[in-house]
Amino acid sequence: MRPWLIFVFALLLPIAGARFVVLDVIGGAFLVLTASIGWYAVKGGMDITWLLCLAIVLFLNAVFDAFILIARVMRTESPIFGHKLPWQTNLVHALLLLGPVVELAGASLCWSVYREHLANIVLDDQFEHIVPERRDPYGSMETNRPGPGRMLVAPAQTELGGGNLQLSSTSKAQGID
């Protein structure tokens, strides 16, 4: 998925350039910002939080851009594409019309990565009982951390019923004496 996401975010930059050409400075700056955040989200690893935000933002932006383009096409009297228009104008119009499609594709890709992440979380939770040593939510792989099913361990009782309650190595590692 990563190469496709990078490709979509790279495609947003020429579309932003086309927006700057037609003096839609806010729209162009927003697309540059969106592409930058997208690149940051996939640069080191797939940052799921940013990808979810991008999915929502790109979807909403695609819907609004489609409405803006429909309104612009409805009120213009000159043709959008044509042999009489310069190639630069045709290119800018093609990029502007391609904008909502690329934004929707980016939103779809970000959403599918997010859904796949959720499916893996659910899958991990279903098989938690099979794999007793789980990764600590804070990133440690140590096995002496407290976790589900770990508690204080009492030694075997002596003949007189005595015996002190001792702490397991987990509790000692936490500094509980």
Side-chain angles (χ1 to χ4, degrees):
M1 280 291 187
R2 183 177 299 197
W4 288 108
L5 281 170
I6 292 171
F7 177 71
V8 166
F9 294 137
L11 274 180
L12 289 175
L13 295 176
I15 295 168
R19 288 197 175 186
F20 285 126
V21 168
V22 296
L23 302 178
D24 182 9
V25 178
I26 302 288
F30 186 76
L31 279 182
V32 168
L33 180 66
T34 304
S36 302
I37 292 172
W39 177 79
Y40 174 76
V42 299
K43 174 185 65 148
M46 298 295 248
D47 191 343
I48 300 302
T49 307
W50 279 115
L51 289 176
L52 175 62
C53 292
L54 283 171
I56 295 167
V57 166
L58 285 171
F59 176 74
L60 292 175
N61 203 34
V63 170
F64 291 136
D65 286 349
F67 284 132
I68 290 170
L69 284 175
I70 290 170
R72 184 176 283 177
V73 167
M74 296 297 283
R75 68 181 173 145
T76 187
E77 295 177 11
S78 62
I80 303 296
F81 299 104
H83 297 290
K84 296 179 181 178
L85 294 173
W87 69 269
Q88 296 93 345
T89 305
N90 285 331
L91 178 65
V92 167
H93 288 167
L95 286 172
L96 290 175
L97 290 175
L98 190 63
V101 175
V102 171
E103 292 167 349
L104 201 55
S108 175
L109 284 172
C110 290
W111 183 253
S112 67
V113 168
Y114 175 72
R115 298 257 321 193
E116 184 177 326
H117 175 73
L118 284 182
N120 285 335
I121 288 176
V122 170
L123 189 62
D124 285 346
D125 288 343
Q126 288 176 351
F127 293 109
E128 180 178 303
H129 66 282
I130 296 173
V131 183
E133 297 300 326
R134 264 191 72 172
R135 184 178 184 90
D136 185 30
Y138 300 109
S140 173
M141 290 297 286
E142 295 180 24
T143 58
N144 63 352
R145 299 260 186 212
R150 295 195 183 144
M151 61 176 125
L152 297 176
V153 178
Q157 297 288 327
T158 61
E159 302 128 21
L160 301 175
N164 296 331
L165 181 65
Q166 294 181 354
L167 299 176
S168 69
S169 62
T170 302
S171 302
K172 290 178 184 176
Q174 292 178 351
I176 303 172
D177 293 320

